[in-house]
């Protein structure tokens, strides 16, 4: 924790941007040594101006202590560029983020077929449907969907990924405890449970327009390729695509109407050589040989399933009502999940809910009372478990565990 205090101190110096932070760490070897550096020491670091020097000579750590306290309170963990788990994909970037704030599950990005999905905020109905459908198909196919949190394409892609299995990562341009736009609160909370939230800004950091272009390099940096769903020739989406090209990432684009201004960017990208995409499989096929364990053997959605799954987060109800007794009598033997697999497949909330269901069916209210987990988190866990097929809903909105958990 003491070491992290110096990382937070250094990365929150006013006017000291990530590139300068990297130069400082390269010169001193660690933020702690930089903290004890003198004016003469800092003068040896290339690229520092007078405003940066003044900020670096302020040795106060009160703000760093407050930030670490907030991270502890909010369940936010910190990852530095010197940590073993820091993604090599980011480590290769000349302007890599030196410190990341993370909430949610853990992903080894270097072992993931991560795909960035970006596009216009004010997208059309076509763009919303395309983003949701492709996000769902990518996640269901084993890929990790990476996006921002803007309304429009970003949020629709993330919602689709949650419906497809919860494999979603959102990179924010503000603190993880800040909801922007306000309408994103529910999906941001869901991703904090079922996926991962990332930011290089500490808790409490409000929205600043200049942070978005800086943030975009992380979306593309974590990804193997970036998909543009709808965008104009000049847009924030194109800035992310530029990052992707500079980072030698693959570029994909959804073709659009020649009469829509919001398709001018994507159609232009295709003319420039971007891979045209009409479904998630168009992307998955590019990486299946490289990630056979992640992507092989995934069944694509049928048109009927896709329509129902994209339509809403609620699980698809059975065609005919069945009694609880018939569900338990006719069900085939439940698959057994080892303790090692449990930690990989489920979040803490999901596992707690499954353990509560081992002794019999429960309603959502009963699960809240028994597990002492807040209502929204129980509902999120149940939704994700139903999508995974590990929990089913029977008559009277009572939930049944469909797997056997090893002790």
């Amino acid at each position: 924790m003491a070491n992290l205090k110096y990382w937070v101190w250094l990365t929150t110096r006013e006017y000291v941007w990530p590139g300068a932070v990297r130069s400082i760490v390269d010169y001193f070897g660690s933020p702690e040594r930089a903290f004890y550096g003198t004016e003469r020491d800092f003068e040896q670091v290339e690229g520092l101006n007078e405003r940066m020097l003044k900020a670096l000579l302020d040795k106060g750590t009160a703000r760093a202590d407050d930030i670490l306290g907030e991270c502890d309170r909010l369940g936010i963990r910190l990852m530095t560029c010197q940590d073993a788990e820091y993604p090599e994909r980011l480590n290769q970037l000349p302007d890599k983020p030196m410190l990341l704030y993370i909430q949610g599950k853990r992903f080894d990005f270097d072992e993931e077929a991560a795909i960035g999905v970006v596009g216009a905020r004010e997208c059309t109905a076509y763009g919303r449907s395309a983003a949701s459908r492709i996000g769902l198909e990518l996640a269901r196919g084993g890929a990790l969907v990476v996006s921002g949190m803007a309304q429009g394409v970003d949020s629709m892609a993330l919602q689709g990924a949650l419906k497809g299995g919860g494999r979603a990562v959102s990179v924010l341009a503000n603190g993880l405890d800040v909801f922007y736009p306000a309408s994103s609160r529910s999906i941001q909370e869901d991703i904090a449970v079922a996926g991962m939230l990332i930011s290089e800004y500490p808790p409490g950091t409000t929205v600043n327009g200049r942070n978005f272009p800086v943030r975009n390099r992380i979306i593309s940096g974590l990804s193997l390729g970036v998909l543009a769903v709808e965008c104009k020739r000049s847009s924030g989406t194109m800035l992310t695509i530029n990052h992707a090209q500079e980072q030698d990432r693959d570029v994909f684009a959804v073709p659009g109407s020649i009469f829509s201004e919001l398709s001018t960017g994507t159609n232009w990208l295709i003319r420039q050589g971007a891979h045209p995409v009409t479904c998630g499989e168009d992307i998955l096929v590019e990486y299946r040989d490289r990630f056979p364990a992640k992507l092989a053997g995934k069944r694509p959605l049928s048109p009927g399933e896709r329509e129902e799954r994209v339509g809403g987060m609620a699980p698809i109800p059975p065609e005919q009502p069945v009694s609880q007794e018939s569900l338990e009598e006719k069900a085939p033997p439940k698959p057994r999940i080892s303790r090692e697999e449990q930690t990989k497949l489920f979040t803490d909330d999901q596992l707690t809910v499954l353990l509560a269901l081992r002794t019999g069916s429960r309603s959502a209210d009963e699960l809240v009372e028994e597990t002492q987990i807040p209502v929204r988190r129980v509902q999120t866990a149940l939704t994700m478990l139903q999508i995974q097929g590990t929990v089913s809903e029977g008559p009277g909105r009572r939930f049944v565990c469909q797997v056997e958990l090893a002790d």
Side-chain angles (χ1 to χ4, degrees), residues 74-92:
L74 295 168
I76 295 172
R77 59 186 184 274
L78 287 77
M79 180 193 296
T80 79
C81 64
Q82 294 180 344
D83 291 343
E85 61 179 323
Y86 188 84
E88 181 58 27
R89 291 178 191 172
L90 290 183
N91 198 42
Q92 296 171 351

Side-chain angles (χ1 to χ4, degrees), residues 1 5-6 8-9 60-71:
M1 183 65 74
K5 177 171 71 173
Y6 297 111
V8 175
W9 168 82
T61 61
R63 187 184 178 204
D65 291 333
D66 289 344
I67 289 171
L68 288 173
E70 277 297 281
C71 289

Side-chain angles (χ1 to χ4, degrees), residues 121 147-150 170-176 178 180 188 198-202 204-216 218-219:
R121 287 181 172 84
S147 191
M149 188 59 72
S170 183
V171 186
L172 307 185
N174 44 261
L176 298 183
V178 175
Y180 178 81
Q188 186 168 324
I198 301 177
S199 177
E200 60 182 320
Y201 303 103
T205 303
T206 55
V207 176
N208 187 319
R210 68 183 183 183
N211 291 348
F212 289 97
V214 179
R215 179 278 312 268
N216 292 346
I218 301 177
I219 294 177

Side-chain angles (χ1 to χ4, degrees), residues 21-327:
V21 173
R22 178 170 186 171
S23 296
I24 292 167
V25 173
D26 287 345
Y27 178 82
F28 285 96
S30 73
E32 183 173 1
R33 290 180 181 176
F35 178 81
Y36 291 104
T38 64
E39 182 175 359
R40 187 171 181 178
D41 293 328
F42 285 114
E43 287 174 349
Q44 307 305 310
V45 181
E46 293 186 10
L48 301 186
N49 57 37
E50 289 186 10
R51 289 197 301 182
M52 292 179 181
L53 286 172
K54 182 178 180 180
L56 292 164
L57 293 174
D58 176 3
K59 306 300 184 178
T61 61
R63 187 184 178 204
D65 291 333
D66 289 344
I67 289 171
L68 288 173
E70 277 297 281
C71 289
D72 185 59
R73 183 181 70 84
L74 295 168
I76 295 172
R77 59 186 184 274
L78 287 77
M79 180 193 296
T80 79
C81 64
Q82 294 180 344
D83 291 343
E85 61 179 323
Y86 188 84
E88 181 58 27
R89 291 178 191 172
L90 290 183
N91 198 42
Q92 296 171 351
L93 307 184
D95 54 353
K96 65 183 178 184
M98 305 298 284
L99 176 66
L100 293 171
Y101 297 84
I102 299 173
Q103 208 172 25
K105 298 179 70 174
R106 295 178 183 272
F107 294 112
D108 182 352
F109 284 95
D110 297 324
E111 300 299 323
E112 294 285 352
I115 304 298
V117 181
V118 293
R121 287 181 172 84
E122 302 299 328
C123 60
T124 66
Y126 168 77
R128 292 174 64 85
S129 296
S132 180
R133 168 182 150 182
I134 294 173
L136 184 153
E137 292 174 340
L138 288 173
R140 184 178 171 88
L144 185 63
V145 176
V146 183
S147 191
M149 188 59 72
Q151 63 182 3
V153 167
D154 288 17
S155 61
M156 293 306 297
L158 292 171
Q159 287 182 40
L162 288 174
K163 297 170 193 174
R167 294 178 57 75
V169 174
S170 183
V171 186
L172 307 185
N174 44 261
L176 298 183
D177 59 336
V178 175
F179 301 100
Y180 178 81
S183 59
S184 72
R185 181 171 190 134
S186 62
I187 184 173
Q188 186 168 324
E189 290 176 340
D190 286 345
I191 292 176
V193 174
M196 177 189 282
L197 296 174
I198 301 177
S199 177
E200 60 182 320
Y201 303 103
T205 303
T206 55
V207 176
N208 187 319
R210 68 183 183 183
N211 291 348
F212 289 97
V214 179
R215 179 278 312 268
N216 292 346
R217 81 194 194 286
I218 301 177
I219 294 177
S220 56
L222 289 171
S223 306
L224 295 172
V226 177
L227 169 68
V229 176
E230 267 192 334
C231 66
K232 299 177 183 179
R233 280 287 303 274
S234 178
S235 61
T237 299
M238 294 301 286
L239 292 177
T240 308
I241 295 298
N242 290 340
H243 283 303
Q245 292 171 329
E246 292 169 357
Q247 297 163 357
D248 198 26
R249 303 308 194 242
D250 296 326
V251 176
F252 303 88
V254 174
S257 168
I258 61 173
F259 302 107
S260 172
E261 186 179 8
L262 284 172
S263 293
T264 55
T266 52
N267 290 343
W268 180 82
L269 285 171
I270 292 171
R271 293 198 302 273
Q272 300 304 309
H275 303 267
V277 169
T278 59
C279 63
E281 179 62 19
D282 291 339
I283 298 175
L284 295 172
V285 70
E286 298 290 331
Y287 303 108
R288 195 160 279 127
D289 289 342
R290 291 173 56 185
F291 297 89
K294 293 285 185 181
L295 306 181
K298 304 290 184 177
R299 180 179 67 84
L301 289 174
S302 69
E305 288 177 312
R306 180 187 301 134
E307 186 67 25
E308 292 194 63
R309 293 287 290 279
V310 171
M313 284 296 287
I316 301 171
E319 293 184 3
Q320 298 294 333
V322 293
S323 67
Q324 188 65 43
E325 293 74 15
S326 65
L327 278 174

